[in-house]
Amino acid sequence: MEKQLIRSGMQENQSLVDKDSFAYSKCLLFADDLKLFSSMNSNLDAVLLQNDLDCLFKWCTVNKLHLNIEKCRILSYTRKSQPLNHVYKINDLVLSCSDSVTDLCTIFDTKLDFSQHINSMVSKAYRRLGILKRRTREFLSEIALKVLYYAHVRSSLEYCSIIWDPNYRNKIEIIERIQNNFLRYLLYKKNGIYLQDISSSCLRDMFNIPSLCSRRDVSCVLLFYKVINGSIDCTDILSAINFSLPARSLRNRGSFPNVYSRFNYIDRF
């Protein structure tokens, strides 16, 4: 299945169209940002999405709201080798296609593997770590160095991690190398020399800093717990959770059914 998303922008301080104004597409609203999206199975679906775009432009014209068509983009989420190509227009202006879109500092690509986001995030974290090292040459306090690392480096590596949390080992290791670099810097501050023969797990135990992968797992579990117990009101996530409700046999006391995946999530790192 292919999903196409059209992102449009309006001028600041303008209210957006109501969600029920579209007959076919669904929409997401945040501040002055609007996203229309729907599943694409045939050319008819593309025509229906175009009709909703026409309704959007008509609604903006009637309510005297300016739609910034130059900022509108088309993004298709699919793994097909030949995705459905359709020319979308707003006010007879053709909308440009994009391979990725940045939403709340998170880069979404067409395959949703977040490779671009991870590469950008890692580059930014290395720059921040380099600044931290240069600015703390005279620092001797381990606590102060940890606080600076948590605030300026690790925070950027964990922002929206629930969305882009990788499953492949190579991407996990790329992110972990940043923290391993900082751990060896802490060891240098403590002993005065760089030691390369100490494993990363020993360094984490020595300085009591858990791995970034384990922290992301905890964040996912906490989100799951809060959604299940109603602390977070998100009906979309809650409706996607399959609860196990045995009708007759009382021996099976599992809360959720067994779900099989081609990824080994338990032993991924």
Short mmCIF file of all heavy atoms in Angstrom, two decimals, residues 126 129 133 149 153 157 172-187 194-196 198-204 207 209-212 269:
data_model
loop_
_atom_site.label_atom_id
_atom_site.label_comp_id
_atom_site.label_asym_id
_atom_site.label_seq_id
_atom_site.Cartn_x
_atom_site.Cartn_y
_atom_site.Cartn_z
N TYR A 126 27.97 15.13 17.02
CA TYR A 126 29.43 15.16 17.01
C TYR A 126 29.95 16.59 17.11
O TYR A 126 30.96 16.86 17.78
CB TYR A 126 29.97 14.49 15.74
CG TYR A 126 30.20 13.01 15.88
CD1 TYR A 126 29.56 12.10 15.05
CD2 TYR A 126 31.07 12.51 16.85
CE1 TYR A 126 29.77 10.74 15.18
CE2 TYR A 126 31.29 11.15 16.98
CZ TYR A 126 30.64 10.27 16.14
OH TYR A 126 30.85 8.92 16.28
N LEU A 129 29.53 17.62 20.66
CA LEU A 129 30.51 16.94 21.52
C LEU A 129 31.89 17.57 21.35
O LEU A 129 32.64 17.71 22.33
CB LEU A 129 30.55 15.45 21.19
CG LEU A 129 31.49 14.59 22.03
CD1 LEU A 129 31.13 14.69 23.51
CD2 LEU A 129 31.45 13.14 21.57
N LYS A 133 34.13 19.28 24.35
CA LYS A 133 35.51 18.93 24.70
C LYS A 133 36.41 20.15 24.71
O LYS A 133 37.27 20.30 25.59
CB LYS A 133 36.04 17.89 23.71
CG LYS A 133 35.45 16.50 23.86
CD LYS A 133 36.08 15.55 22.86
CE LYS A 133 35.57 14.13 23.04
NZ LYS A 133 36.21 13.19 22.08
N TYR A 149 27.06 16.95 29.07
CA TYR A 149 26.80 15.95 28.02
C TYR A 149 25.32 15.63 27.93
O TYR A 149 24.75 15.54 26.83
CB TYR A 149 27.61 14.69 28.31
CG TYR A 149 27.19 13.50 27.50
CD1 TYR A 149 27.49 13.41 26.15
CD2 TYR A 149 26.46 12.46 28.09
CE1 TYR A 149 27.09 12.32 25.40
CE2 TYR A 149 26.06 11.37 27.34
CZ TYR A 149 26.37 11.30 26.00
OH TYR A 149 25.96 10.22 25.26
N VAL A 153 24.29 17.10 24.37
CA VAL A 153 24.57 16.04 23.39
C VAL A 153 23.51 14.94 23.45
O VAL A 153 22.84 14.66 22.45
CB VAL A 153 25.98 15.44 23.60
CG1 VAL A 153 26.26 14.37 22.55
CG2 VAL A 153 27.04 16.53 23.53
N LEU A 157 20.20 13.41 20.90
CA LEU A 157 20.17 12.03 20.40
C LEU A 157 18.91 11.29 20.84
O LEU A 157 18.68 10.16 20.38
CB LEU A 157 21.40 11.27 20.90
CG LEU A 157 22.75 11.74 20.37
CD1 LEU A 157 23.88 11.01 21.08
CD2 LEU A 157 22.85 11.52 18.87
N ILE A 172 22.22 1.48 15.09
CA ILE A 172 22.32 1.56 16.55
C ILE A 172 23.75 1.83 16.97
O ILE A 172 24.02 2.66 17.85
CB ILE A 172 21.79 0.26 17.19
CG1 ILE A 172 20.30 0.09 16.90
CG2 ILE A 172 22.04 0.26 18.69
CD1 ILE A 172 19.73 -1.22 17.38
N GLU A 173 24.69 1.16 16.32
CA GLU A 173 26.10 1.34 16.67
C GLU A 173 26.61 2.73 16.29
O GLU A 173 27.44 3.30 17.00
CB GLU A 173 26.94 0.26 15.98
CG GLU A 173 26.69 -1.13 16.53
CD GLU A 173 27.48 -2.19 15.79
OE1 GLU A 173 28.06 -1.85 14.73
OE2 GLU A 173 27.51 -3.35 16.26
N ILE A 174 26.10 3.28 15.18
CA ILE A 174 26.51 4.64 14.79
C ILE A 174 26.14 5.64 15.88
O ILE A 174 26.92 6.55 16.20
CB ILE A 174 25.86 5.00 13.44
CG1 ILE A 174 26.49 4.21 12.31
CG2 ILE A 174 25.99 6.50 13.16
CD1 ILE A 174 25.81 4.41 10.97
N ILE A 175 24.96 5.48 16.45
CA ILE A 175 24.53 6.40 17.51
C ILE A 175 25.31 6.15 18.80
O ILE A 175 25.70 7.10 19.49
CB ILE A 175 23.01 6.24 17.74
CG1 ILE A 175 22.25 6.53 16.45
CG2 ILE A 175 22.54 7.17 18.86
CD1 ILE A 175 20.76 6.25 16.55
N GLU A 176 25.57 4.88 19.11
CA GLU A 176 26.28 4.55 20.35
C GLU A 176 27.72 5.05 20.33
O GLU A 176 28.30 5.32 21.39
CB GLU A 176 26.26 3.04 20.58
CG GLU A 176 24.91 2.47 20.96
CD GLU A 176 24.44 2.91 22.34
OE1 GLU A 176 25.30 3.31 23.15
OE2 GLU A 176 23.23 2.84 22.60
N ARG A 177 28.31 5.18 19.16
CA ARG A 177 29.71 5.63 19.08
C ARG A 177 29.89 7.02 19.66
O ARG A 177 30.97 7.35 20.18
CB ARG A 177 30.18 5.60 17.63
CG ARG A 177 30.41 4.21 17.07
CD ARG A 177 30.69 4.26 15.59
NE ARG A 177 30.68 2.92 15.00
CZ ARG A 177 30.61 2.69 13.70
NH1 ARG A 177 30.55 3.71 12.85
NH2 ARG A 177 30.60 1.45 13.25
N ILE A 178 28.86 7.84 19.58
CA ILE A 178 28.97 9.20 20.13
C ILE A 178 29.13 9.13 21.64
O ILE A 178 30.01 9.79 22.22
CB ILE A 178 27.73 10.02 19.74
CG1 ILE A 178 27.58 10.06 18.22
CG2 ILE A 178 27.82 11.43 20.31
CD1 ILE A 178 26.32 10.72 17.75
N GLN A 179 28.30 8.34 22.30
CA GLN A 179 28.41 8.22 23.75
C GLN A 179 29.71 7.52 24.14
O GLN A 179 30.33 7.87 25.15
CB GLN A 179 27.21 7.47 24.32
CG GLN A 179 27.26 7.30 25.82
CD GLN A 179 25.93 6.95 26.42
OE1 GLN A 179 25.08 7.80 26.64
NE2 GLN A 179 25.72 5.66 26.69
N ASN A 180 30.13 6.52 23.36
CA ASN A 180 31.40 5.85 23.65
C ASN A 180 32.56 6.84 23.56
O ASN A 180 33.52 6.75 24.33
CB ASN A 180 31.61 4.70 22.68
CG ASN A 180 30.57 3.61 22.84
OD1 ASN A 180 29.93 3.49 23.89
ND2 ASN A 180 30.38 2.80 21.81
N ASN A 181 32.47 7.76 22.62
CA ASN A 181 33.49 8.79 22.50
C ASN A 181 33.54 9.65 23.76
O ASN A 181 34.62 9.96 24.28
CB ASN A 181 33.19 9.66 21.27
CG ASN A 181 34.34 10.58 20.90
OD1 ASN A 181 34.96 11.18 21.76
ND2 ASN A 181 34.59 10.71 19.61
N PHE A 182 32.38 10.01 24.27
CA PHE A 182 32.34 10.81 25.49
C PHE A 182 32.83 10.01 26.70
O PHE A 182 33.52 10.56 27.58
CB PHE A 182 30.92 11.30 25.74
CG PHE A 182 30.73 11.99 27.06
CD1 PHE A 182 31.24 13.27 27.27
CD2 PHE A 182 30.07 11.36 28.10
CE1 PHE A 182 31.09 13.91 28.49
CE2 PHE A 182 29.92 11.99 29.33
CZ PHE A 182 30.42 13.26 29.53
N LEU A 183 32.51 8.72 26.76
CA LEU A 183 32.96 7.90 27.88
C LEU A 183 34.48 7.80 27.92
O LEU A 183 35.09 7.84 29.01
CB LEU A 183 32.33 6.50 27.78
CG LEU A 183 30.82 6.42 28.03
CD1 LEU A 183 30.31 5.02 27.73
CD2 LEU A 183 30.48 6.82 29.46
N ARG A 184 35.11 7.69 26.78
CA ARG A 184 36.58 7.65 26.74
C ARG A 184 37.17 9.01 27.12
O ARG A 184 38.26 9.08 27.69
CB ARG A 184 37.05 7.21 25.36
CG ARG A 184 36.59 5.80 25.00
CD ARG A 184 37.24 5.27 23.75
NE ARG A 184 36.68 3.98 23.40
CZ ARG A 184 37.02 2.82 23.97
NH1 ARG A 184 37.94 2.81 24.91
NH2 ARG A 184 36.45 1.69 23.60
N TYR A 185 36.43 10.06 26.81
CA TYR A 185 36.87 11.39 27.23
C TYR A 185 36.79 11.52 28.75
O TYR A 185 37.69 12.10 29.39
CB TYR A 185 36.02 12.46 26.56
CG TYR A 185 36.35 13.87 26.97
CD1 TYR A 185 37.56 14.45 26.62
CD2 TYR A 185 35.44 14.62 27.70
CE1 TYR A 185 37.87 15.75 26.99
CE2 TYR A 185 35.74 15.92 28.08
CZ TYR A 185 36.95 16.48 27.72
OH TYR A 185 37.25 17.77 28.10
N LEU A 186 35.74 10.96 29.35
CA LEU A 186 35.64 10.95 30.82
C LEU A 186 36.78 10.15 31.43
O LEU A 186 37.36 10.55 32.46
CB LEU A 186 34.30 10.35 31.25
CG LEU A 186 33.07 11.26 31.26
CD1 LEU A 186 31.86 10.49 31.78
CD2 LEU A 186 33.29 12.49 32.11
N LEU A 187 37.11 9.01 30.83
CA LEU A 187 38.21 8.20 31.34
C LEU A 187 39.53 8.93 31.23
O LEU A 187 40.39 8.83 32.12
CB LEU A 187 38.26 6.87 30.57
CG LEU A 187 39.28 5.85 31.06
CD1 LEU A 187 38.96 5.41 32.49
CD2 LEU A 187 39.32 4.65 30.13
N TYR A 194 44.38 8.19 27.33
CA TYR A 194 43.33 7.51 26.58
C TYR A 194 43.64 6.01 26.54
O TYR A 194 44.74 5.61 26.15
CB TYR A 194 43.23 8.05 25.15
CG TYR A 194 42.37 9.28 25.03
CD1 TYR A 194 42.94 10.54 24.89
CD2 TYR A 194 40.98 9.18 25.04
CE1 TYR A 194 42.14 11.67 24.76
CE2 TYR A 194 40.18 10.30 24.92
CZ TYR A 194 40.77 11.54 24.78
OH TYR A 194 39.97 12.65 24.66
N LEU A 195 42.68 5.19 26.94
CA LEU A 195 42.82 3.73 26.91
C LEU A 195 41.85 3.18 25.88
O LEU A 195 40.64 3.36 25.99
CB LEU A 195 42.54 3.13 28.29
CG LEU A 195 43.47 3.59 29.43
CD1 LEU A 195 43.05 2.97 30.74
CD2 LEU A 195 44.92 3.21 29.11
N GLN A 196 42.38 2.51 24.86
CA GLN A 196 41.55 2.01 23.77
C GLN A 196 41.13 0.55 23.96
O GLN A 196 40.27 0.07 23.23
CB GLN A 196 42.33 2.14 22.44
CG GLN A 196 42.73 3.56 22.10
CD GLN A 196 41.53 4.45 21.84
OE1 GLN A 196 40.45 3.98 21.45
NE2 GLN A 196 41.71 5.75 22.04
N ILE A 198 39.64 -0.84 26.54
CA ILE A 198 38.52 -1.03 27.46
C ILE A 198 37.22 -1.04 26.66
O ILE A 198 36.99 -0.17 25.82
CB ILE A 198 38.49 0.09 28.53
CG1 ILE A 198 39.77 0.06 29.36
CG2 ILE A 198 37.28 -0.07 29.44
CD1 ILE A 198 39.82 1.11 30.44
N SER A 199 36.38 -2.01 26.92
CA SER A 199 35.13 -2.14 26.18
C SER A 199 34.14 -1.05 26.58
O SER A 199 34.24 -0.46 27.67
CB SER A 199 34.50 -3.52 26.43
OG SER A 199 34.16 -3.67 27.79
N SER A 200 33.20 -0.81 25.72
CA SER A 200 32.20 0.23 25.98
C SER A 200 31.30 -0.14 27.16
O SER A 200 30.90 0.73 27.94
CB SER A 200 31.35 0.45 24.73
OG SER A 200 32.15 0.84 23.64
N SER A 201 30.99 -1.43 27.30
CA SER A 201 30.15 -1.86 28.42
C SER A 201 30.84 -1.61 29.76
O SER A 201 30.19 -1.21 30.73
CB SER A 201 29.79 -3.33 28.27
OG SER A 201 30.96 -4.14 28.23
N CYS A 202 32.16 -1.83 29.81
CA CYS A 202 32.90 -1.55 31.05
C CYS A 202 32.90 -0.06 31.37
O CYS A 202 32.78 0.34 32.54
CB CYS A 202 34.33 -2.06 30.93
SG CYS A 202 34.47 -3.87 30.86
N LEU A 203 33.02 0.77 30.34
CA LEU A 203 32.99 2.21 30.56
C LEU A 203 31.62 2.66 31.05
O LEU A 203 31.52 3.53 31.93
CB LEU A 203 33.36 2.94 29.26
CG LEU A 203 34.81 2.83 28.81
CD1 LEU A 203 34.99 3.49 27.45
CD2 LEU A 203 35.74 3.46 29.83
N ARG A 204 30.56 2.08 30.49
CA ARG A 204 29.21 2.45 30.94
C ARG A 204 29.00 2.06 32.40
O ARG A 204 28.39 2.80 33.18
CB ARG A 204 28.16 1.79 30.05
CG ARG A 204 28.07 2.37 28.65
CD ARG A 204 26.81 1.93 27.95
NE ARG A 204 26.78 0.49 27.73
CZ ARG A 204 27.20 -0.10 26.62
NH1 ARG A 204 27.67 0.63 25.62
NH2 ARG A 204 27.14 -1.42 26.49
N PHE A 207 31.09 4.51 34.79
CA PHE A 207 30.55 5.85 34.99
C PHE A 207 29.04 5.87 35.20
O PHE A 207 28.44 6.94 35.28
CB PHE A 207 30.91 6.74 33.80
CG PHE A 207 32.39 6.96 33.64
CD1 PHE A 207 33.09 6.34 32.62
CD2 PHE A 207 33.08 7.78 34.52
CE1 PHE A 207 34.45 6.54 32.46
CE2 PHE A 207 34.45 7.98 34.37
CZ PHE A 207 35.14 7.36 33.35
N ILE A 209 26.46 5.11 33.26
CA ILE A 209 25.71 5.73 32.17
C ILE A 209 25.14 4.62 31.29
O ILE A 209 25.91 3.89 30.66
CB ILE A 209 26.60 6.67 31.33
CG1 ILE A 209 27.13 7.82 32.19
CG2 ILE A 209 25.82 7.24 30.14
CD1 ILE A 209 28.03 8.77 31.44
N PRO A 210 23.84 4.44 31.24
CA PRO A 210 23.27 3.36 30.42
C PRO A 210 23.43 3.65 28.93
O PRO A 210 23.66 4.79 28.52
CB PRO A 210 21.79 3.36 30.83
CG PRO A 210 21.53 4.75 31.31
CD PRO A 210 22.81 5.22 31.93
N SER A 211 23.31 2.61 28.13
CA SER A 211 23.43 2.78 26.69
C SER A 211 22.24 3.56 26.15
O SER A 211 21.15 3.57 26.73
CB SER A 211 23.52 1.41 26.00
OG SER A 211 22.31 0.70 26.17
N LEU A 212 22.45 4.21 25.02
CA LEU A 212 21.37 4.98 24.40
C LEU A 212 20.27 4.06 23.90
O LEU A 212 19.09 4.43 23.92
CB LEU A 212 21.94 5.81 23.25
CG LEU A 212 22.97 6.87 23.63
CD1 LEU A 212 23.55 7.52 22.38
CD2 LEU A 212 22.36 7.91 24.54
N PHE A 269 20.94 -5.55 20.27
CA PHE A 269 22.18 -4.83 20.63
C PHE A 269 22.87 -5.55 21.78
O PHE A 269 22.24 -5.93 22.74
CB PHE A 269 21.86 -3.38 21.01
CG PHE A 269 23.09 -2.57 21.26
CD1 PHE A 269 23.89 -2.17 20.21
CD2 PHE A 269 23.46 -2.24 22.55
CE1 PHE A 269 25.02 -1.43 20.44
CE2 PHE A 269 24.59 -1.49 22.79
CZ PHE A 269 25.37 -1.09 21.73
#
